Amino acid sequence: MLQLNYIRENRDKVIERLGVKNFKEIGLVDEIITLDEQRRKIQSESDALSAEANSSAKKIGELMRQGKKEEAEAVKSQSSGYKEQIKSLTDHLDRVEQDLNAKIVQLPNLPHTTVPVGVSADDNEVVLENGTIPTLADDAVSHWDLLTKYGIVDLELGVKVTGAGFPVYKGKGARLQRALINFFLDEAAKVGYEEVQVPIMVNEASAFATGQLPDKEGQMYHVTHDDLYLIPTAEVPVTNIYRDVIVKEEQFPIRHCAYTPCFRREAGSYGAHVRGLNRLHQFDKVETVQIVHPDRSYDALEEMNTYVQGLLQKLELPYRVLRLCGGDMSFTAALTYDLEVYSAAQKRWLEVSSVSNFETYQSNRLKVRFKNQDGKMQLAHTLNGSALALPRIVASLLENNQTDKGIKIPKVLVPYTGFEYID
């Protein structure tokens, strides 16, 4: 969440940047500032009253030691109302702070100054395109037909076992999944990401700390009996490793990668854009997370962006990089790059990665801090990126590499799959 002192000291800038995200409840900013003024006033009154009560208590003790019982009783009588007054102020302060906290978490992160103005995905800025879009044979088909043709993913069996959006991978399809996961993890290790294996369910505190709650509550699967949430991405448990942790500045950059299945309720149900593997309720992904010094977070973002591009280049997939406009960004991000691959049979771009800098938005909730060179506590910056999400990668690999001999596997994956073709 945004830092309260920043909102108080930069009201006009906050309102201007929220406008770039098309945030409609701008009045919340002034409500938060007003509540903060009330909070500070009540706190000041409570502190002053507590100081008076302490002073009176000392005075009473001193008078009693001097044998001046009547004077002590007089002071005691005068100060008898302090306790109730302090309790009343404390109760009032609690109510104001609860209201303040409830409102401040409704504000999204402020977009970076380079974020384009826009309202939808149509307004995203294409930063670059790379690779050659393949020309397919006239009889080429979309990946959902290839899944059935080669018997590698059974969507209907997934419906039987669980429901729509929960595919069953079979034979070479399952081996391709495993090959991609291992390839992504091995590549991450080469550039210094420490692999961690994390739970795929988190508690409410963890979901709140990374910004999934309260913003994305309807998109997460909730295990109500235990009050746990199935993760939408490994970003949530990995980043929460550092919740309430004071790290040392020399630890930066902290870099982790993790493979997990991911779960999202918001998958669509109609149209070609959600057919096959295009949008699922359960999917596999390798995630990269960094916790860094604030001065170096945008360098880290560019590095993560370049790293994901390298994976796509090794997979020989044509791709493009988008800088998301304010209206298409997530609630928590300050700047996001989306990476999309071209799916030749569908003749459309498919998002396969988002790489984002959250600045202090997550770390303020997480309370992940470090002591800077001046000896003062400071919030770290957090970043994450998909490296990579598998379903649309698989869809594009199948469609773009279909040949008379079968589906050709990119050279970099053959040592992992043990086969050159799906046939």
Side-chain angles (χ1 to χ4, degrees), residues 38-59:
Q38 291 179 23
R39 178 189 65 84
R40 288 187 294 152
K41 181 181 178 183
I42 296 167
Q43 185 67 66
S44 178
E45 291 175 0
S46 180
D47 290 345
L49 202 56
S50 294
E52 287 184 28
N54 289 336
S55 177
S56 293
K58 290 179 181 178
K59 189 173 182 179

Side-chain angles (χ1 to χ4, degrees), residues 69 84 104 125 134 149-150 182 190 199 276-277 296 307-308 310 329 336 345 352 371 373 378-379 397:
K69 188 174 180 180
E84 286 301 317
I104 199 168
E125 175 188 344
K149 178 179 178 178
Y150 294 106
N182 287 336
K190 289 177 184 177
L277 303 176
R296 293 186 285 277
Y307 170 69
V308 176
M329 290 176 65
T336 297
V352 295
K371 190 175 290 187
Q373 292 181 348
Q378 187 174 348
L379 292 170
L397 286 174

Side-chain angles (χ1 to χ4, degrees), residues 68-213:
K68 300 178 180 178
K69 188 174 180 180
E70 290 185 5
E71 293 182 39
E73 288 297 328
V75 174
K76 188 175 182 180
S77 176
Q78 292 173 2
S79 60
S80 61
Y82 286 155
K83 186 175 180 180
E84 286 301 317
Q85 292 178 59
I86 291 171
K87 184 181 184 304
S88 177
L89 285 170
T90 300
D91 291 344
H92 190 192
L93 182 63
D94 287 344
R95 291 193 298 271
V96 170
E97 286 183 337
Q98 287 176 14
D99 195 7
L100 177 59
N101 291 334
K103 290 183 185 300
I104 199 168
V105 297
Q106 296 177 45
L107 294 182
N109 200 359
L110 303 181
H112 190 262
T113 54
T114 60
V115 170
V117 174
V119 297
S120 71
D122 294 335
D123 301 312
N124 293 336
E125 175 188 344
V126 178
V127 177
L128 64 85
E129 292 189 18
N130 184 276
T132 303
I133 293 174
T135 301
L136 300 183
D138 292 339
D139 60 350
V141 295
S142 297
H143 75 273
W144 47 84
D145 292 322
L146 295 171
L147 302 179
T148 302
K149 178 179 178 178
Y150 294 106
I152 53 176
V153 180
D154 195 324
L155 300 172
E156 293 305 315
L157 185 55
V159 172
K160 173 187 174 181
V161 173
T162 306
F166 295 88
V168 174
Y169 296 84
K170 301 163 61 178
K172 287 187 174 181
R175 288 171 66 183
L176 177 60
Q177 284 281 105
R178 182 156 47 89
L180 283 164
I181 292 165
N182 287 336
F183 168 64
F184 293 149
L185 288 172
D186 286 351
E187 291 297 301
K190 289 177 184 177
V191 295
Y193 285 96
E194 180 185 10
E195 183 180 350
V196 290
Q197 193 172 71
V198 291
I200 61 171
M201 290 193 291
V202 295
N203 55 34
E204 183 178 348
S206 292
F208 173 81
T210 47
Q212 275 64 41
L213 296 180

Side-chain angles (χ1 to χ4, degrees), residues 298-353:
Y298 280 94
D299 290 337
L301 180 67
E302 296 303 324
E303 170 215 302
M304 294 175 80
N305 178 11
T306 301
Y307 170 69
V308 176
Q309 290 184 54
L311 295 178
L312 297 174
Q313 291 166 14
K314 290 176 181 179
L315 292 174
E316 304 170 49
L317 288 170
Y319 68 88
R320 68 180 185 180
V321 179
L322 307 176
R323 182 183 286 111
L324 298 194
C325 72
D328 198 35
M329 290 176 65
S330 75
F331 190 84
T332 52
L335 178 61
T336 297
Y337 291 112
D338 269 8
L339 290 93
E340 301 178 334
V341 296
Y342 192 79
S343 186
Q346 296 180 66
K347 296 182 173 59
R348 57 191 294 261
W349 294 97
L350 303 176
E351 179 199 332
V352 295
S353 177

Side-chain angles (χ1 to χ4, degrees), residues 2-20 23-38 40 99-100 102-111:
L2 298 180
Q3 295 181 70
L4 189 53
N5 62 336
Y6 186 87
I7 298 172
R8 182 172 63 242
E9 296 167 8
N10 300 275
R11 173 191 176 275
D12 293 344
K13 183 176 180 180
V14 169
I15 290 174
E16 183 267 327
R17 297 317 296 163
L18 288 175
V20 175
F23 183 69
K24 304 302 182 185
E25 305 298 326
I26 295 297
L28 273 173
V29 175
D30 284 334
E31 291 179 27
I32 288 166
I33 291 172
T34 299
L35 285 169
D36 181 47
E37 290 172 350
Q38 291 179 23
R40 288 187 294 152
D99 195 7
L100 177 59
K103 290 183 185 300
I104 199 168
V105 297
Q106 296 177 45
L107 294 182
N109 200 359
L110 303 181

Side-chain angles (χ1 to χ4, degrees), residues 370-386:
F370 68 99
K371 190 175 290 187
N372 63 25
Q373 292 181 348
D374 296 328
K376 295 180 179 179
M377 284 297 178
Q378 187 174 348
L379 292 170
H381 279 195
T382 64
L383 305 94
N384 83 279
S386 312

